[in-house]
């Protein structure tokens, strides 16, 4: 493609709304434009990259034996009403009515529709196992759309669903998707980590997420460099750690603590370490209130807590007036003694001795509190968030933590949807059996952003060759010089003839502008045709390297072809 024919509206300014590198660069390099919060258009370069990502995904899904189909994004409400998710999705679902007043939604994910398709179309148990997939636009009215296409309200997902006769079959289908995902993310040039994931209170027997480590990732992941343990924060098993406490058989004692609310203020007031306190936090869980306790130096993991108590909605902090009503004290003085709601304590709380807690009285705390003597939690369980340095639950070595971008998720659904929608089959003996399902998602558009987060520098994007919109950019320093332009055209034609996606920067811009644009849009190989063309010499530079090297024309072309082909 000639750049003079290509819409590449690069921006010199850094768009103010963009907080993270990939978002800034996709806007600056002219890949995407915002239409509304969390809604983007893909301009030509963005679309070209997107198609390459889709093709890699498609090739590997097909190779794994999955069949592609395409469903509507505009979906009638019925299937979601039957499965119960019409309500579960809440405000995250875009809902609309047709002219007859019938309910529709814009599909946030398609488990129900695929299940229904199989109910309608599969005639015999002999057709299982079967895995169906689509690459299609999804809609979620995210509470906080941000970071460009990383978390948007309209995005492209590859969603796949497997259908098996039994759980051994599901294990096999799941493994095939696991292997396909490893190939896909490797080919996309992503450095990824596979973590055990939470499968929610709704059941399901296994779930893993494919995470791209990045400081801008919204998910916490814990991993062990000694064994292969890796899990996201919601799933990571926390081992209680030993800490020193005052030894002795003390009685609980009420202490006046005026104007002391936070752990920091408590630490200063009592001149004690944060681990010598236990925090008591009140939550609203569906229609009741509960209290959760962790050591003062730890954080509660709300997903673990939610799964433990099995509530439907996400937990929310109790409103201040409810804290006052339940504890009879201002916010900041809650404690477990005498509370009439359920108290759930973290495993580590059970190991604490003579510690400090709120007294449920404004301006007071208790010291020398002891579990089972001064209060008895109704449950003791792992409800905290893992931290780096904690013992690995598998081998005991220190855990490391990182932030991750979830690019893919594979999930053993079991019979959740086949039960609710009625997907059964008659086996060889004419007996009715339930179909066992798995579901497998990849955030296609999110992969673009993730690839940039792992591959950029101060000058712009550094695309992995496999998904670069163009592989090689050929650039005459002065497009008005016939010798340079003719040589550049020839190189460009030769590259194209060899199947390389080549760009010809035929604009009569200053060289500085052209160099900047080529770096910004992240083209892996640059061939510059300048004054030495008279001697048949061009400059060859990889986007990943700082210096250009001189090569003969033929050498530059053959090196570029070899470089690209080895990385497709
Ligand atoms: P997240 O935890 O990031 O909200 P999710 O667990 O809700 O994602 P899934 O339902 O598992 O997402 O969807 C499959 C994949 O779709 C995710 O792994 C992610 O890569 C992608 N995805 C989900 N939500 C968005 C979004 N709002 N914008 C872009 N990609 C998304
Ligand atoms: Mg997920």
């Amino acid at each position: 493609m000639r750049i003079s024919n290509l819409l590449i509206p690069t921006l010199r300014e850094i768009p103010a709304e963009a907080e993270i590198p990939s978002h800034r660069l996709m806007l600056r390099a002219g890949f995407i434009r915002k239409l509304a919060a969390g809604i983007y258009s893909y301009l030509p370069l963005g679309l070209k990259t997107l198609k390459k990502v889709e093709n890699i995904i498609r090739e590997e899904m097909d190779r794994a034996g999955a069949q592609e189909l395409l469903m509507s994004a505009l979906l009638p409400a019925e299937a979601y009403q039957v499965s119960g998710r019409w309500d579960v999705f809440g405000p995250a679902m875009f809902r609309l009515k047709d002219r007859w007043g019938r309910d529709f939604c814009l599909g946030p994910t398609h488990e129900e529709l695929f299940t229904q398709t199989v109910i309608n179309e599969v005639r015999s148990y002999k057709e299982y196992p079967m895995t169906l997939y689509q690459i299609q636009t999804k809609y979620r009215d995210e509470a906080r759309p941000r970071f460009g296409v990383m978390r948007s309200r309209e995005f492209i997902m590859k969603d796949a669903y497997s259908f098996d006769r039994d759980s051994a079959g599901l294990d096999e289908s799941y493994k095939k998707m696991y292997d396909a995902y490893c190939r896909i993310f490797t080919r996309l040039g992503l450095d990824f980590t596979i973590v055990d994931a939470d499968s929610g209170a709704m059941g399901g027997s296994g779930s893993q997420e494919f995470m791209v480590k990045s400081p801008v990732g919204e998910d916490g992941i814990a991993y062990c460099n000694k064994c292969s343990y890796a899990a996201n924060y919601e799933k990571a098993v926390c081992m209680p750690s030993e800490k020193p406490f005052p030894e002795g058989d003390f009685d609980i004692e009420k202490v006046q603590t005026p104007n002391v609310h936070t752990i920091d203020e408590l630490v200063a007031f009592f001149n004690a370490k944060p681990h010598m306190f236990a925090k008591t936090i009140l939550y609203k869980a569906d229609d009741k209130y509960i209290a959760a306790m962790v050591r003062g130096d730890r954080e509660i993991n709300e997903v673990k807590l939610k799964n433990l108590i099995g509530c439907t909605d996400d937990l929310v902090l109790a409103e201040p007036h409810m804290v006052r009503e339940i504890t009879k004290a201002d916010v900041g003085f809650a404690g477990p003694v005498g509370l009439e709601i359920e108290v759930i304590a973290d495993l580590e709380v059970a190991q604490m001795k003579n510690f400090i807690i709120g007294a449920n009285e404004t301006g007071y705390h208790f010291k020398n509190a002891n579990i089972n003597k001064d209060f008895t939690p109704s449950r003791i369980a792992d409800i905290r968030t893992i931290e780096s340095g904690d013992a690995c639950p598998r081998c005991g070595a220190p855990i490391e933590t990182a932030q991750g971008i979830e690019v893919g998720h594979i999930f053993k659904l079991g019979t959740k949807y086949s039960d609710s929608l009625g997907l059964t089959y008659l086996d060889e003996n004419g007996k009715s059996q339930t179909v066992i399902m798995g579901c497998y998602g990849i955030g296609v558009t999110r992969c673009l952003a993730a690839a940039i987060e792992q591959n950029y520098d101060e000058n712009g994007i550094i695309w992995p060759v496999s998904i670069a919109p163009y592989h090689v950019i050929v650039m005459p320093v002065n497009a008005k010089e016939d010798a340079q332009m003719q040589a550049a055209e020839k190189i460009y034609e030769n590259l194209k003839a060899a199947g390389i996606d080549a760009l010809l920067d035929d604009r009569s811009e200053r060289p500085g502008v052209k160099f900047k644009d080529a770096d910004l849009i992240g083209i892996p190989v640059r061939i510059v045709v300048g004054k030495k063309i008279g001697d048949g010499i061009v400059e060859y530079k990889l986007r990943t390297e700082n210096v250009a090297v001189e090569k003969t024309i033929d050498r530059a072309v053959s090196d570029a072809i070899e470089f690209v082909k080895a990385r497709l």
Side-chain angles (χ1 to χ4, degrees), residues 140 209 406 408-409 411:
R140 293 184 187 178
E209 286 167 352
E406 180 194 321
H409 189 177
F411 198 115

Side-chain angles (χ1 to χ4, degrees), residues 50-256:
L50 177 60
K51 292 282 170 209
K52 291 198 175 181
V53 173
E54 286 185 7
N55 279 341
I56 289 176
I57 295 173
R58 184 172 282 117
E59 276 173 26
E60 295 300 341
M61 291 301 291
D62 292 348
R63 191 204 301 265
Q67 304 177 62
E68 184 171 8
L69 51 72
L70 182 60
M71 290 203 176
S72 168
L74 179 61
L75 303 169
E78 283 81 14
Y80 290 93
Q81 285 161 342
V82 174
S83 75
R85 289 211 293 182
W86 186 256
D87 296 325
V88 171
F89 271 110
M93 193 184 242
F94 280 101
R95 295 157 206 264
L96 58 161
K97 287 190 190 290
D98 70 4
R99 63 171 70 204
W100 312 109
R102 283 183 292 237
D103 285 317
F104 284 80
C105 69
L106 296 177
T109 173
H110 279 63
E111 281 78 2
E112 286 83 349
L113 283 300
F114 275 75
T115 309
Q116 223 170 36
T117 300
V118 172
I119 292 174
N120 294 340
E121 312 303 337
V122 172
R123 309 273 149 81
S124 153
Y125 70 88
K126 291 182 187 143
E127 292 178 63
Y128 302 122
M130 178 187 289
T131 297
L132 302 172
Y133 78 98
Q134 64 176 346
I135 296 176
Q136 189 243 19
T137 306
K138 297 280 185 276
Y139 296 87
R140 293 184 187 178
D141 199 355
E142 295 275 358
R144 293 186 65 203
R146 57 181 193 153
F147 296 168
V149 300
M150 191 82 89
R151 179 167 300 285
S152 47
R153 299 199 292 169
E154 182 191 73
F155 59 98
I156 298 176
M157 196 200 284
K158 186 287 299 169
D159 49 329
Y161 306 87
S162 65
F163 301 88
D164 277 280
R165 297 181 56 184
D166 49 34
S167 57
L170 169 61
D171 289 348
E172 254 177 66
S173 299
Y174 183 90
K175 178 73 169 58
K176 277 191 190 150
M177 286 297 113
Y178 178 101
D179 292 340
Y181 275 39
C182 290
R183 287 196 298 269
I184 288 168
F185 294 120
T186 303
R187 287 185 61 189
L188 295 180
L190 295 171
D191 175 13
F192 62 96
T193 306
I194 304 167
V195 303
D196 290 344
D198 163 44
S199 37
M202 311 279 269
S205 49
S207 162
Q208 283 165 304
E209 286 167 352
F210 289 71
M211 292 284 189
V212 166
K213 277 186 210 156
S214 158
V216 308
E218 294 183 287
D219 295 294
I221 59 179
Y223 57 98
C224 174
N225 279 329
K226 191 157 169 241
C227 69
S228 57
Y229 183 79
N232 69 17
Y233 280 3
E234 283 93 52
K235 181 79 180 178
V237 176
C238 293
M239 309 302 287
S241 78
E242 299 271 330
K243 287 277 187 190
F245 289 96
E247 285 299 332
D249 207 0
F250 302 116
D251 282 331
I252 192 165
E253 189 183 322
K254 195 187 279 182
V255 181
Q256 198 173 7

Side-chain angles (χ1 to χ4, degrees), residues 246-389:
E247 285 299 332
D249 207 0
F250 302 116
D251 282 331
I252 192 165
E253 189 183 322
K254 195 187 279 182
V255 181
Q256 198 173 7
T257 52
N259 302 321
V260 170
H261 300 274
T262 65
I263 285 282
D264 284 347
E265 288 165 347
L266 276 170
V267 165
F269 184 90
F270 281 97
N271 191 23
K273 297 260 164 39
H275 76 260
M276 293 174 169
F277 301 83
K279 296 190 252 198
T280 305
I281 315 255
L282 271 58
Y283 286 100
K284 185 169 187 209
D286 292 343
D287 44 12
K288 63 176 183 174
Y289 288 84
I290 58 155
M293 294 180 75
V294 285
R295 228 168 58 188
D297 56 338
R298 301 299 201 182
E299 297 302 328
I300 292 173
N301 188 292
E302 291 172 8
V303 176
K304 282 186 180 175
L305 185 57
K306 174 185 168 180
N307 289 345
L308 180 77
I309 60 180
C311 61
T312 315
D313 290 334
D314 286 348
L315 294 174
V316 283
L317 287 177
E319 311 86 333
H321 77 273
M322 287 306 297
V323 174
R324 267 181 237 117
E325 189 179 319
I326 294 166
T327 66
K328 321 269 186 304
D330 283 350
V331 175
F333 297 96
V337 178
L339 268 195
E340 282 173 7
I341 54 174
E342 183 180 6
V343 177
I344 299 166
D346 180 61
L347 293 173
E348 280 180 341
V349 174
Q351 299 194 338
M352 296 173 73
K353 284 195 208 105
N354 299 317
F355 53 101
I356 300 159
I357 53 178
N360 294 328
E361 187 175 338
T362 304
Y364 288 90
H365 281 79
F366 283 125
K367 70 175 196 179
N368 296 331
N370 281 286
I371 195 165
N372 296 335
K373 180 174 159 205
D374 303 310
F375 68 96
T376 307
S378 51
R379 278 192 260 191
I380 297 175
D382 172 8
I383 57 166
R384 73 174 173 95
T385 296
I386 198 163
E387 290 175 18
S388 58

